[in-house]
Amino acid sequence: MAGRASGQRYAARFDQLAAQGTDVHGEATLCASLVPPGSRVLDAGCGTGRVAVRLAESGYHCVGVDNDRSMLDAARARSTAVTWVHADLAALDHAAGQDGARARRAPAAADGPFDLIVAAGNVIPLVAPGTEAAVVRGLAQRLAPGGLLVAGFGLDAAHLPLPEAPFGLVDYDAWCHAAGLALQRRLATWDGAAFDEAAGLAGTAGYAVSIHALH
């Protein structure tokens, strides 16, 4: 029950922000500007489903994947229009699923191909240390040709629930490049603010939203 309550509390926090007039749909709005309604979207690390539910309401075909059952319980209570999948994002990587604990593949519902995959809410920095490259590779494997991977995450402790950033943009771009993804655009916020590339390379930028496309 405690685990289920944590998902409910997380969802309630955003409900309260929305009730106070805060726009809590910046991620969905950006994604909707990148691909047209009817597109297939994977919400990777979907949590309580805030992004996927909003996009589904706007005519997108959405799948949400998360490894936290309490979050998915809250997501399922909010929408039956989205396909919710319980899985570790590292399990999406075909190459990593050859041996040991990772032999379990994610359910077929998460196979794609997807026109856009969104990883919001600091998903990439919060995966198990050492699995970041496999997670990015697994997401890329599920994109349609020309499909987009959109990931937003903090670059310093002020923008992360961590004492320090586990990696920088150079690392992230390298994982994307190795997975066949090319950087299309980088933003400073989900609202579309311009990103200072010099600050990003210097490690002084606080947050980035990176849009990569599959070759």
Side-chain angles (χ1 to χ4, degrees), residues 89 119-132 135-136 151-156 159-169 172 175 206-208:
L89 291 181
N122 287 316
V123 167
I124 306 299
L126 295 179
V127 300
T131 68
E132 297 94 344
V135 167
V136 171
F153 50 83
L155 303 171
D156 58 23
H159 295 82
L160 287 165
L162 299 169
E164 61 182 7
F167 58 83
L169 288 175
Y172 179 68
W175 298 328
Y207 194 90

Side-chain angles (χ1 to χ4, degrees), residues 186-203:
R186 189 118 58 200
L187 305 169
T189 68
W190 289 97
D191 294 333
F195 184 79
D196 185 339
E197 287 290 347
L201 292 174

Side-chain angles (χ1 to χ4, degrees), residues 42 44 88-96 102 117 119 123-128 130-143 147-153 167-183 210-214:
L42 176 67
D88 186 332
L89 291 181
L92 300 183
D93 177 22
H94 294 157
R102 294 188 190 170
I117 297 177
V123 167
I124 306 299
L126 295 179
V127 300
T131 68
E132 297 94 344
V135 167
V136 171
R137 187 166 57 239
L139 296 177
Q141 289 166 356
R142 276 151 176 78
L143 282 172
L148 302 176
L149 172 60
V150 185
F153 50 83
F167 58 83
L169 288 175
V170 172
D171 301 304
Y172 179 68
D173 286 346
W175 298 328
C176 288
H177 178 75
L181 298 163
L183 180 65
S210 302
I211 303 170
H212 287 77
L214 185 67

Side-chain angles (χ1 to χ4, degrees), residues 14-130:
F14 281 97
D15 288 343
Q16 182 178 23
L17 289 171
Q20 294 169 348
T22 301
D23 180 7
V24 298
H25 297 300
E27 301 98 328
T29 299
L30 176 61
C31 291
S33 74
L34 298 172
V35 292
S39 299
R40 295 201 67 204
V41 176
L42 176 67
D43 186 354
C46 64
T48 59
R50 179 171 49 86
V51 178
V53 171
R54 182 71 167 186
L55 287 171
E57 291 172 344
S58 301
Y60 294 82
H61 302 290
C62 298
V63 176
V65 178
D66 204 280
N67 201 33
D68 187 320
R69 290 189 183 277
S70 73
M71 296 290 184
L72 287 176
D73 285 343
R76 291 188 179 102
R78 287 172 174 264
S79 177
T80 57
V82 178
T83 300
W84 304 109
V85 176
H86 178 248
D88 186 332
L89 291 181
L92 300 183
D93 177 22
H94 294 157
Q98 303 302 316
D99 61 339
R102 294 188 190 170
R104 298 186 301 274
R105 289 192 66 246
D111 278 352
F114 295 96
D115 302 298
L116 183 146
I117 297 177
V118 56
N122 287 316
V123 167
I124 306 299
L126 295 179
V127 300

